[in-house]
């Protein structure tokens, strides 16, 4: 409540919109905090009402009503659990927007199709949770799918929820591209990086970077508009490469690419801090066998399992359609319990 009072004062200031970017961030935080408080109040009201209704049902011996109340209490418990976990998103950049990259790994057309399936999974998740998705760049596959793609997912705590998705994702299925209907294993890697605001300083020596421009191309439609002003920046000391092609001008693409590079370098620094604290070497490894964080098996049975938290489900269709909260919540809970 104290933070909300502070935000109310800041957003009421006459000079707020002198800095439009800061104003939007403050309003976004204020709206998210108001929603959290409203949700908590609604939970308390619902719990009180259900408790009273349950007492009446027991007095009347209405077993059918009692069972309905139990179902509603289970749903309330799930919502409360998510709210509790979201309250734990207190990292320096957890509240920020997120850049999400998908890269096809070993497996040719199979892997490129899998990369596009993963991208759809994350965009569907974002849409369900009312996050805005902006396409930054994409490289189409040779036959189908995508070689790589980057999107920006905008909304409160986007990075906090998605940061655990970085790693290699493995798919086992009957190939739709194999005329002999054989089972194939494909890999794709996901990288998630926070969008860095002005409060976090990342210094980059431009002499350490190579900037290339190229003609953009893409699928169009729901993905991106074709332009002639794409920009690629290579940070030579680290080998990090970022690129942007969704803006209309080279200047805008260049500005967005520099922002992505700062995000990547900041995320790298966060990893170093975590490694130092945990005494572990953090690496994604090769985009293939032995380094996957999650396995998606569609044949000969259906099972999706996170190899870090042991969270699993047989509802593969729902997961690939964006229902990944089970894994996000398990990763956050696991991180908190290991602190």
């Amino acid at each position: 409540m104290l933070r909300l009072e502070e935000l109310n004062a800041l957003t009421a200031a006459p000079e707020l919109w002198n800095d439009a970017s800061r104003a939007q961030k403050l309003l976004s935080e204020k709206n998210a905090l108001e929603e959290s408080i409203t949700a908590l109040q609604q939970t308390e009201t619902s719990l009180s009402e259900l408790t009273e209704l349950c007492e009446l049902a027991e007095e009347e011996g209405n077993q059918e009503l009692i069972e309905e109340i139990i179902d509603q209490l289970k749903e309330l418990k799930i919502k409360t659990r998510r709210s509790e976990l979201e309250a734990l998103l207190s990292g320096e950049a957890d509240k920020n927007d997120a850049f999400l990259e998908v890269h096809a790994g070993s497996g040719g057309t199979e892997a490129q199709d899998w990369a596009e399936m993963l991208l759809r999974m994350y965009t569907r998740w974002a849409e369900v949770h009312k996050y805005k998705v902006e396409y930054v760049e994409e490289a189409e596959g040779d036959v189908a799918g995508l070689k790589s793609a980057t999107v920006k997912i905008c909304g409160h705590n986007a990075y906090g929820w998605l940061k655990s998705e970085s790693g290699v994702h493995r798919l086992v299925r009957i190939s739709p591209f194999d005329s002999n209907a054989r089972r194939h294993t494909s890999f794709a890697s996901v990288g998630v990086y926070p969008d860095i605001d002005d409060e976090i300083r990342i210094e980059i020596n431009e002499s350490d970077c190579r900037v290339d421009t190229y003609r953009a191309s893409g699928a169009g439609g729901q993905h991106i508009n074709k332009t002639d002003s794409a920009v690629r920046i290579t940070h030579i000391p680290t080998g990090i490469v970022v690129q942007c092609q969704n803006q209309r001008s080279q200047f805008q693409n260049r500005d967005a690419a520099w922002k992505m590079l700062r995000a990547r370098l900041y995320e790298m620094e966060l990893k170093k801090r975590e490694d130092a604290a945990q005494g572990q070497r953090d690496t994604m490894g090769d985009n293939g066998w032995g380094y996957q964080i999650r396995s998606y098996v569609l044949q000969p049975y259906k099972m999706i399992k996170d190899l870090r938290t042991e969270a699993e489900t047989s509802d593969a269709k729902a997961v690939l359609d964006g229902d990944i909260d089970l894994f996000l919540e398990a990763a956050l809970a696991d991180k908190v319990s290991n602190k």
Side-chain angles (χ1 to χ4, degrees):
M1 295 298 289
L2 291 175
R3 178 55 178 168
L4 182 58
E5 291 175 6
E6 181 183 356
L7 289 170
N8 283 332
L10 289 170
T11 54
E15 67 276 9
L16 174 68
W17 288 98
N18 291 343
D19 185 343
S21 177
R22 179 173 179 270
Q24 290 175 349
K25 289 183 181 298
L26 288 174
L27 288 171
S28 176
E29 183 182 353
K30 176 176 174 288
N31 292 337
L33 190 53
E34 286 176 338
E35 289 178 7
S36 296
I37 292 172
T38 299
L40 177 60
Q41 293 171 338
Q42 290 175 343
T43 297
E44 292 175 341
T45 300
S46 297
L47 181 59
S48 177
E49 292 175 348
L50 288 171
T51 300
E52 293 177 5
L53 187 59
C54 187
E55 290 174 354
L56 289 173
E58 286 179 341
E59 289 177 6
E60 298 174 359
N62 190 335
Q63 189 61 35
E64 184 177 346
L65 180 56
I66 290 174
E67 290 176 0
E68 290 180 9
I69 293 171
I70 290 173
D71 289 339
Q72 292 180 53
L73 285 170
K74 288 179 179 178
E75 292 178 6
L76 193 60
K77 181 179 180 180
I78 292 172
K79 291 179 181 178
T80 303
R81 174 61 173 166
R82 181 175 176 86
S83 296
E84 287 176 345
L85 289 172
E86 189 156 34
L88 298 173
L89 296 175
S90 56
E92 188 176 31
D94 281 353
K95 68 182 185 298
N96 292 21
D97 299 339
F99 290 107
L100 186 144
E101 298 179 354
V102 179
H103 295 271
S106 53
T109 299
E110 281 291 329
Q112 291 165 13
D113 187 53
W114 173 222
E116 186 168 45
M117 290 169 64
L118 277 176
L119 183 63
R120 178 185 179 278
M121 181 181 80
Y122 290 117
T123 55
R124 287 289 297 122
W125 174 85
E127 290 164 2
V128 168
H129 290 282
K130 298 180 180 179
Y131 287 115
K132 180 182 177 183
V133 178
E134 299 176 0
Y135 282 80
V136 177
E137 66 84 24
E138 68 175 21
E140 295 178 276
D142 298 322
V143 177
L146 299 168
K147 291 180 180 177
S148 66
T150 303
V151 295
K152 183 179 179 183
I153 298 178
C154 308
H156 188 65
N157 285 336
Y159 175 68
W161 278 115
L162 290 170
K163 61 185 179 182
S164 62
E165 290 299 286
S166 290
V168 175
H169 297 243
R170 169 178 172 254
L171 173 69
V172 179
R173 64 170 175 174
I174 299 296
S175 171
F177 305 101
D178 189 332
S179 59
N180 295 316
R182 291 173 294 189
R183 191 168 62 186
H184 285 245
T185 298
S186 308
F187 299 93
S189 66
V190 173
V192 182
Y193 317 101
D195 182 19
I196 303 304
D197 53 34
D198 294 335
E199 297 176 4
I200 300 174
R201 296 283 182 180
I202 299 294
E203 299 296 333
I204 302 176
N205 188 343
E206 293 193 16
S207 64
D208 288 338
C209 301
R210 185 178 71 247
V211 180
D212 301 305
T213 58
Y214 61 99
R215 182 180 179 85
S217 63
Q222 65 172 327
H223 295 289
I224 59 169
N225 295 319
K226 294 184 178 180
T227 71
D228 296 318
S229 53
V231 173
R232 179 187 298 110
I233 300 177
T234 303
H235 187 248
I236 297 171
T238 61
I240 291 174
V241 179
V242 296
Q243 49 196 15
C244 182
Q245 64 179 25
N246 73 316
Q247 302 296 335
R248 293 186 178 277
S249 72
Q250 185 181 118
F251 175 81
Q252 290 173 313
N253 280 326
R254 186 183 296 265
D255 185 63
W258 280 114
K259 195 168 188 179
M260 289 170 61
L261 179 57
R262 287 196 296 272
R264 290 286 300 272
L265 291 172
Y266 174 73
E267 205 270 343
M268 178 180 288
E269 180 60 30
L270 286 182
K271 292 293 186 186
K272 287 180 182 178
R273 293 184 202 173
E274 290 179 6
D275 292 347
Q278 298 174 9
Q280 297 176 347
R281 181 175 180 271
D282 181 66
T283 178
M284 184 183 294
D286 295 329
N287 196 352
W289 285 103
Y291 296 96
Q292 60 266 21
I293 64 168
R294 190 173 304 142
S295 179
Y296 304 70
V297 179
L298 305 185
Q299 292 288 342
Y301 55 88
K302 289 182 172 60
M303 178 61 67
I304 299 180
K305 182 174 182 177
D306 194 286
L307 306 180
R308 303 160 300 176
T309 64
E310 302 298 316
E312 62 180 45
T313 178
S314 59
D315 194 351
K317 183 179 184 301
V319 170
L320 293 175
D321 201 35
D323 188 5
I324 58 174
D325 286 340
L326 166 69
F327 303 109
L328 302 183
E329 292 172 9
L332 182 56
D334 183 66
K335 186 172 183 179
V336 170
S337 65
N338 288 329
K339 279 188 176 181

